[in-house]
Amino acid sequence: QVQLVESGGGLVQAGGSLRLSCAASGRTLSDYAMGWFRRAPGKEREFVGVISWVGDSTYYIDSVKGRFTISRDIAKNTLYLQMNSLKPEDTAVYYCAARRYSDPVSFRGGNGMDSWGKGTLVTVSS
């Protein structure tokens, strides 16, 4: 089983940037579709983006396209979420998740994940 630990959250002004990291242990990331979800205060969990287990494709929700980028470093067994041009509506707890050999479409539903991190809080002030 893969274990996930997020880091990099914090307080940033609107228009600023943050990079979240998700360190994996126990198994290599190369077998897993990896992605990010978020939960804003008072709202349900929302899919943000995913990178395929092959590592050749990424998918994002429309509200973050062009601003957020998912990448991974297999050597470091770490997933990243680069967030630019942050908006107050991006404020949420961000969670990384892993699902072995998953296709991106089913990953977006958030069900059947092999592992979840505990989350890292991102607060964007206006």
Side-chain angles (χ1 to χ4, degrees):
Q1 189 78 340
V2 62
Q3 291 82 44
L4 306 173
V5 178
E6 303 95 335
S7 61
L11 174 64
V12 63
Q13 288 188 331
S17 298
L18 280 176
R19 187 177 80 157
L20 305 185
S21 300
C22 174
S25 60
R27 287 184 179 269
T28 176
L29 287 187
S30 60
D31 293 342
Y32 291 83
M34 299 285 297
W36 295 90
F37 292 78
R38 65 186 180 186
R39 188 189 298 273
K43 295 188 177 181
E44 294 187 353
R45 186 184 66 199
E46 176 184 46
F47 166 78
V48 175
V50 59
I51 183 167
S52 65
W53 69 270
V54 178
D56 61 348
S57 57
T58 53
Y59 301 89
Y60 304 92
I61 55 171
D62 287 345
S63 61
V64 307
K65 283 181 182 176
R67 300 190 298 122
F68 290 12
T69 303
I70 290 176
S71 62
R72 68 181 189 180
D73 186 329
I74 296 298
K76 294 182 179 180
N77 229 30
T78 300
L79 177 76
Y80 301 100
L81 179 66
Q82 178 66 45
M83 304 186 293
N84 299 327
S85 302
L86 282 161
K87 304 176 181 180
E89 52 263 43
D90 294 319
T91 294
V93 177
Y94 284 72
Y95 302 88
C96 68
R99 187 176 177 186
R100 202 171 186 199
Y101 302 134
S102 173
D103 66 280
V105 173
S106 57
F107 187 99
R108 288 182 285 187
N111 299 313
M113 295 297 171
D114 291 296
S115 186
W116 290 91
K118 293 185 177 181
T120 185
L121 176 63
V122 172
T123 303
V124 184
S125 63
S126 57

